[in-house]
């Protein structure tokens, strides 16, 4: 399969981007029976229908074929082997051999992995891939390697996050002052919205709809796919395409398992997974294009605020200076090679 249909992409929307979202239970993936010398497991927190799993299935099929069935990787989607913390422990111990994880969550083990989530750092995907396929990604991969895991070269797309509200469109930083917004439990999220003078509130994702409906909070932030599948458009009127944060999934490999493969098999595994990651990136862009049109059809009003004012406000509030200190001069300098001066 060289391309994913719009039907596949729209069906996949619910799995995009949130470690805090409640998973949808799906059956175990069906694997082809084989007498592989190297049976392996790939775990993740997304549904089988998500573009990442569709592309990963293509990759594992190709790996099986190109190794004459000797490397057989079974996909365990949708948190079937536990939550992110559980699966991170399993890939470190060898219980699973491959695991995809958000850099923001991986930062509990590798602090540098959260650097791609710095607020308003990346204006568009060109800048994201220049950084993550370049020196920023190389730096993060080195830190992950130092923590005992092997990250593959290409990071998979999780998506840009947008702000939805029930009261007004977010046109400028002033609109965020005293704004009650739901955020995931993360220092980066809380720090950024506090810098805007907002009132960020950490709420479990399963409770977000009711919190918006009862006006416990006025708004929330997520990729468009979550707005669609969680039906947040029913309790929100505006969607501001702020692109305020980007995140992706690192393909993490157990060191012993990957190093234990014959060189020619390891090359096949890495090449196919990296190629699949690049294809998945294009899938997510297409998915989001369709989702905006669909959400507009459900009377969600869109606007595109100028990010420059938001960056300036974060600079003024000391947000970038704070995170520059936390990430360190070296990592920050690499980030600013792509983004321009932040702090």
């Amino acid at each position: 399969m060289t391309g994913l249909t719009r039907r596949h992409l729209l069906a996949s929307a619910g799995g995009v981007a949130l470690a805090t979202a409640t998973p949808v239970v799906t059956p175990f993936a069906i694997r082809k029976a084989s007498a592989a010398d190297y049976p392996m497991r790939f775990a993740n927190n997304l549904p089988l229908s998500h573009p990442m799993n569709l592309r990963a299935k293509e990759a594992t099929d190709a790996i099986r074929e190109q190794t004459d069935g000797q490397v057989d990787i079974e996909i365990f989607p949708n948190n079937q082997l536990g939550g992110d913390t559980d699966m991170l422990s399993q890939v470190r111990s060898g219980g699973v051999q491959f695991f995809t994880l958000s850099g923001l969550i991986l930062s509990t083990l590798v602090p540098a992995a959260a650097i791609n989530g710095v607020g308003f750092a990346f204006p568009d995907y060109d800048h994201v891939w220049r950084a993550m396929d370049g020196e920023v990604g190389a730096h993060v991969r080195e830190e992950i390697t130092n923590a005992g895991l092997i990250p593959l070269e290409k990071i998979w797309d999780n998506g840009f996050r947008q702000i939805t509200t029930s009261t007004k469109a977010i046109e400028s930083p002033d609109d965020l002052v005293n704004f009650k917004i739901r955020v995931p439990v993360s220092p980066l999220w809380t720090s950024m919205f506090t810098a805007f003078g907002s009132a960020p509130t950490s709420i479990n994702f399963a409770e977000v709809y009711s919190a918006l409906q009862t006006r416990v909070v006025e708004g929330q932030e997520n990729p468009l796919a979550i707005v669609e599948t969680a039906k947040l458009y029913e309790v929100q009127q505006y969607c501001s395409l702020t692109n305020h944060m980007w995140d992706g999934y690192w393909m993490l490999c157990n060191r012993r398992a990957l190093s234990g493969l014959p060189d020619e098999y390891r090359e096949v595994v890495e090449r196919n997974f990296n190629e699949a990651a690049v294809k998945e990136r294009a899938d997510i862009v297409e998915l989001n294009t369709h989702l905006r049109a669909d959400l507009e059809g459900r009377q969600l009003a869109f606007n595109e605020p100028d990010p420059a004012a938001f960056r300036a406000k974060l600079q003024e509030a000391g947000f970038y200076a704070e995170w520059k200190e936390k990430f360190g001069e070296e990592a920050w300098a690499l980030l600013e090679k792509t983004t321009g001066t932040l702090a």
Side-chain angles (χ1 to χ4, degrees):
M1 180 169 72
T2 58
L4 299 181
T5 65
R6 180 172 183 266
R7 180 181 177 185
H8 270 133
L9 291 170
L10 292 176
S12 74
V16 173
L18 253 205
T20 54
T22 302
V24 179
V25 177
T26 59
F28 272 57
I30 299 174
R31 70 180 283 196
K32 178 181 177 181
S34 66
D37 286 345
Y38 301 97
M40 296 183 172
R41 303 201 291 180
F42 164 39
N44 63 75
N45 63 8
L46 298 174
L48 273 173
S49 59
H50 187 274
M52 189 182 77
N53 275 318
L54 295 176
R55 293 301 185 181
K57 180 62 165 58
E58 290 181 352
T60 57
D61 287 347
I63 290 166
R64 187 181 302 110
E65 179 181 353
Q66 293 167 24
T67 61
D68 295 323
Q70 296 311 298
V71 179
D72 187 6
I73 302 173
E74 183 176 5
I75 300 174
F76 290 84
N78 213 38
N79 288 325
Q80 287 177 355
L81 300 183
D84 286 335
T85 301
D86 295 329
M87 289 188 286
L88 180 58
S89 176
Q90 290 176 56
V91 77
R92 296 180 73 191
S93 67
V96 300
Q97 289 70 44
F98 303 96
F99 173 44
T100 41
L101 183 64
S102 157
L104 294 171
I105 300 172
L106 179 59
S107 66
T108 58
L109 175 66
V110 183
I115 195 167
N116 57 264
V118 170
F120 291 92
F122 300 117
D124 51 41
Y125 271 120
D126 286 343
H127 286 77
V128 167
W129 304 132
R130 197 180 310 157
M132 302 313 295
D133 289 340
E135 291 181 288
V136 174
H139 173 77
V140 174
R141 290 197 304 275
E142 181 179 0
E143 294 297 308
I144 295 172
T145 300
N146 291 340
L149 294 168
I150 298 178
L152 296 191
E153 181 181 359
K154 300 297 184 181
I155 191 170
W156 303 61
D157 191 16
N158 190 356
F160 279 102
R161 303 176 77 91
Q162 321 298 349
I163 298 175
T164 68
T165 78
S166 59
T167 52
K168 58 186 176 182
I170 303 300
E171 297 281 5
S172 74
D174 291 341
D175 293 320
L176 289 172
V177 176
N178 297 321
F179 181 70
K180 295 183 292 184
I181 185 168
R182 177 268 174 181
V183 297
V185 180
S186 165
L188 259 178
W189 268 286
T190 301
S191 174
M192 182 176 71
F193 283 103
T194 298
F196 285 128
S198 306
T201 303
S202 295
I203 297 174
N204 185 283
F205 186 77
E207 301 170 3
V208 169
Y209 186 100
S210 61
L212 293 169
Q213 187 176 42
T214 58
R215 300 295 179 93
V216 172
V217 289
E218 301 169 76
Q220 62 86 49
E221 53 80 60
N222 260 307
L224 292 184
I226 297 298
V227 177
E228 164 72 18
T229 56
K231 298 185 178 181
L232 300 183
Y233 54 84
E234 295 179 346
V235 288
Q236 300 279 267
Q237 296 182 33
Y238 305 95
C239 181
S240 301
L241 297 175
T242 50
N243 289 335
H244 56 270
M245 182 183 289
W246 178 85
D247 193 22
Y249 293 101
W250 287 107
M251 176 67 80
L252 307 173
C253 312
N254 176 268
R255 182 189 298 274
R256 291 186 303 277
L258 193 64
S259 299
L261 289 175
D263 290 344
E264 63 271 24
Y265 289 174
R266 177 170 176 172
E267 186 277 332
V268 168
V269 169
E270 295 190 11
R271 171 168 47 81
N272 278 284
F273 274 140
N274 284 327
E275 290 175 355
V278 173
K279 293 175 183 176
E280 183 261 3
R281 297 174 182 181
D283 296 337
I284 295 296
V285 171
E286 181 181 352
L287 172 62
N288 283 331
T289 299
H290 291 305
L291 283 174
R292 175 171 179 173
D294 290 346
L295 290 166
E296 285 177 328
R298 294 187 173 96
Q299 308 307 308
L300 191 66
F302 281 79
N303 68 296
E304 299 184 28
D306 182 357
F310 293 85
R311 270 196 182 194
K313 180 63 178 180
L314 291 180
Q315 288 174 332
E316 176 188 336
F319 170 83
Y320 294 124
E322 174 189 352
W323 286 93
K324 177 180 180 179
E325 182 178 354
K326 289 181 178 179
F327 287 121
E329 292 281 349
E330 178 186 1
W332 199 261
L334 295 176
L335 178 65
E336 290 188 330
K337 279 188 178 183
T338 300
T339 63
T341 302
L342 295 170

